[in-house]
Amino acid sequence: MKVFLPTFIILTCIVSLVIGNIHWNDKISDAGVSQPGTKQSKEESSKPSPDNEELVKYIGNWPKESKELYNKRLSEGKPFKILMVGSNSLGNEEYNLPDDLADQLNHVYGNTVHVDGLIYDMMSSQFVSQNKQKDLIEAKADLILFEPFTLKDNGNVAIEDSLGNITSVIKDVTAANKETQFILQPPNPLYNATYYPNQVDELEKYAKDKDIPYLNHWSNWPDQESDKMINLLNEDRELPNEKGYKIWSLYLEEFFVKQF
């Protein structure tokens, strides 16, 4: 009897644990909670989390293809990569648009969007002849925000050749990376310029003809003939100062983060 009683108690405990575990698993199953080691259905796993649903609200201004690719990256758990490319019109060591845009988007999208930048002090003809497209190809960006050296080309490269160089760059990059998309934007405006605004007009027409999204941030700047422009450019009146970059940066932020 001394031996039987402890054995009976042990067996009773084991039976209780088994029954309790079965009951607990049934409750979990009824609640629809997946257990470790189990596979969710494809439909369930593809549903965005509430956080992702909130993030998607901010991409309302993005091109359709970019919206679709951002959602795809969310489902894959990968960041959507934005690469800003262009001349030194985009910035310098003290202030540059890629870094500023990265900071702004990080506040909204967190690690679901990654922004990087490539800035070159050269004309579009030099960019193409030196095969700098390979830098863009290697970056494997989802979206390239391209300032195509229009200001650097001013007075040095004919507008027809400048636009042809844009075509070459886009063709080479998209041939290597099928999912990469492009958005064009002009460099900074200048004070009281003459021929340069015509080049920028041609760039905008090119984007429209080629059905490439175009970000006309010039709409946020003062009239180019206004003395207010002087206060937004550096001492040489060739590139923006910090105030000028803030105007440009705000335009980009409002595009990439739709307010609602």
Side-chain angles (χ1 to χ4, degrees):
M1 189 67 181
K2 290 182 180 180
V3 176
F4 173 76
L5 183 59
T7 303
F8 176 78
I9 294 174
I10 292 172
L11 289 174
T12 302
C13 290
I14 291 174
V15 170
S16 298
L17 287 172
V18 170
I19 294 174
N21 187 54
I22 293 173
H23 177 65
W24 174 246
N25 285 339
D26 288 341
K27 290 181 67 177
I28 291 177
S29 179
D30 291 341
V33 180
S34 60
Q35 302 175 62
T38 63
K39 293 183 179 180
Q40 291 178 287
S41 69
K42 185 176 181 181
E43 182 180 354
E44 288 177 329
S45 62
S46 63
K47 289 181 180 179
S49 68
D51 288 344
N52 288 350
E53 291 176 354
E54 288 296 316
L55 292 176
V56 169
K57 294 180 181 179
Y58 292 104
I59 66 173
N61 295 327
W62 294 22
K64 178 183 177 182
E65 294 80 5
S66 296
K67 292 178 183 178
E68 293 173 351
L69 192 52
Y70 178 67
N71 278 288
K72 180 181 178 182
R73 294 291 179 257
L74 284 177
S75 66
E76 295 170 340
K78 298 178 181 178
F80 181 88
K81 296 181 180 179
I82 299 175
L83 180 66
M84 195 182 302
V85 179
S87 70
N88 54 352
S89 179
L90 296 180
N92 50 55
E93 293 181 357
E94 295 180 1
Y95 189 95
N96 68 80
L97 290 171
D99 285 350
D100 193 62
L101 184 62
D103 290 340
Q104 297 300 327
L105 298 193
N106 182 63
H107 289 313
V108 177
Y109 298 105
N111 59 9
T112 67
V113 172
H114 178 78
V115 180
D116 207 345
L118 292 175
I119 298 176
Y120 303 84
D121 187 10
M122 59 177 60
M123 297 175 286
S124 66
S125 55
Q126 295 171 311
F127 186 88
V128 172
S129 64
Q130 295 179 29
N131 195 29
K132 293 298 183 180
Q133 300 96 298
K134 69 179 186 301
D135 297 343
L136 280 58
I137 293 172
E138 291 172 359
K140 295 182 179 179
D142 296 309
L143 177 63
I144 295 179
L145 181 55
F146 191 25
E147 179 276 292
F149 310 98
T150 309
L151 182 54
K152 300 293 289 186
D153 286 356
N154 180 39
N156 297 301
V157 180
I159 185 62
E160 296 81 8
D161 295 333
S162 184
L163 298 178
N165 290 332
I166 298 174
T167 300
S168 295
V169 171
I170 294 177
K171 181 179 179 181
D172 291 348
V173 174
T174 54
N177 300 327
K178 304 297 183 183
E179 291 186 312
T180 299
Q181 299 146 15
F182 276 80
I183 292 179
L184 294 178
Q185 65 171 342
N188 58 277
L190 298 178
Y191 171 66
N192 211 20
T194 52
Y195 181 63
Y196 173 54
N198 295 330
Q199 287 183 296
V200 172
D201 287 342
E202 291 298 320
L203 174 63
E204 186 170 8
K205 290 177 184 177
Y206 168 87
K208 184 177 181 180
D209 291 342
K210 300 293 185 180
D211 198 26
I212 303 172
Y214 181 80
L215 300 189
N216 183 22
H217 61 87
W218 281 28
S219 61
N220 274 27
W221 296 72
D223 188 286
Q224 297 167 49
E225 297 182 0
S226 169
D227 290 343
K228 293 180 180 179
M229 275 296 303
I230 299 176
N231 298 324
L232 302 175
L233 301 173
N234 62 10
E235 295 180 357
D236 297 329
R237 298 185 183 178
E238 294 178 351
L239 298 172
N241 57 24
E242 186 169 345
K243 292 180 180 178
Y245 279 122
K246 289 295 184 182
I247 290 176
W248 192 346
S249 177
L250 180 60
Y251 180 95
L252 296 179
E253 179 186 350
E254 290 176 344
F255 172 79
F256 282 104
V257 182
K258 182 178 181 179
Q259 300 302 314
F260 55 90

